């Protein structure tokens, strides 16, 4: 008897890896690398209390505005993607490739007063991924992958705005 070929499920699941302790850092962090996730996965992993959900709401608003301007990718960092129970905010950087400067909300380029306008609008801070962080002489996407307490490598979250299901649903409605 000849059996038919076995069919396999071809669904690909992405998961945010578990946080890991980093000797000398007060909170656990993502393992090194840029871990691809969508916004729903970010919510599931990090919007775990009322304050974190409020921060996530700001991230959604900012992500929608960036996507409308043509941004395809952001990188999420800061204590929001760590084990810190009550992070102060979130930090993100965005890829400027393909962004229409006319459509871009000017708040994303307002770095005055410690980025007060960004924090007021979104509860987080945004930098261009290619912009150099003068404190360390690295682009923000690289700077974000260094733990500020230890100088060791740590991870960030990469979010593809152009294909994110949560943002696609918002645009279609």
């Amino acid at each position: 008897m000849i059996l038919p070929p076995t069919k396999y499920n071809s669904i690909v699941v992405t998961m945010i890896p578990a946080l890991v302790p980093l000797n000398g850092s007060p909170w656990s962090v993502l393992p090194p690398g840029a871990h691809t996730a969508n916004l729903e996965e970010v919510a599931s992993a990090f919007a775990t209390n009322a304050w974190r959900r409020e921060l996530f709401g700001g991230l959604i608003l900012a992500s929608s505005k960036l996507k409308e301007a043509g941004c395809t990718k952001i990188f999420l960092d800061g204590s929001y993607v760590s084990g810190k129970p009550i992070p102060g905010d979130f930090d993100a950087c965005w890829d400027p490739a393909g962004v229409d400067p006319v459509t871009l909300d000017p708040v994303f380029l307002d770095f005055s007063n410690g980025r007060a306008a960004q924090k007021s609008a979104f509860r987080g801070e945004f930098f261009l991924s290619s912009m150099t962080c003068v404190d360390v002489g690295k682009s923000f996407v690289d700077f974000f992958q260094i733990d500020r307490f230890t100088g060791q490598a740590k991870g960030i979250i990469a979010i593809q705005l152009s294909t994110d299901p949560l943002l696609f649903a918002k645009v279609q409605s």
Side-chain angles (χ1 to χ4, degrees):
M1 178 170 140
I2 300 175
L3 297 174
T6 304
K7 295 195 178 197
Y8 294 94
N9 186 344
S10 61
I11 296 173
V12 176
V13 177
T14 59
M15 289 185 59
I16 295 172
L19 299 177
V20 296
L22 191 60
N23 192 22
S25 189
W27 304 286
S28 53
V29 298
L30 289 164
H35 307 284
T36 301
N38 64 41
L39 288 164
E40 290 174 343
E41 292 165 331
V42 170
S44 178
F46 299 109
T48 55
N49 60 40
W51 175 243
R52 283 175 162 276
R53 285 188 292 279
E54 190 169 329
L55 293 175
F56 183 74
L59 178 64
I60 292 293
L61 177 60
S63 296
S64 295
K65 287 180 173 281
L66 285 166
K67 182 179 179 184
E68 288 170 10
C71 181
T72 60
K73 184 187 292 187
I74 65 170
F75 299 92
L76 183 59
D77 183 44
S79 59
Y80 189 76
V81 294
S82 78
K84 186 176 184 180
I86 308 293
D89 65 1
F90 61 85
D91 300 302
C93 61
W94 51 278
D95 184 350
V99 173
D100 178 3
V102 173
T103 310
L104 181 67
D105 186 328
V107 75
F108 290 106
L109 300 175
D110 184 351
F111 304 108
S112 64
N113 299 322
R115 293 155 307 281
Q118 293 180 14
K119 292 176 187 178
S120 176
F122 309 121
R123 300 221 181 263
E125 302 175 68
F126 288 84
F127 303 90
L128 284 83
S129 60
S130 57
M131 185 176 171
T132 300
C133 176
V134 294
D135 295 341
V136 295
K138 294 181 180 270
S139 68
F140 271 93
V141 73
D142 293 331
F143 169 65
F144 279 180
Q145 296 181 68
I146 302 168
D147 180 69
R148 72 180 180 133
F149 299 102
T150 67
Q152 296 177 55
K154 68 171 184 67
I156 58 175
I157 303 290
I159 303 167
Q160 296 288 335
L161 300 182
S162 57
T163 58
D164 194 277
L166 192 61
L167 296 180
F168 186 76
K170 286 182 72 88
V171 170
Q172 298 301 312
S173 49

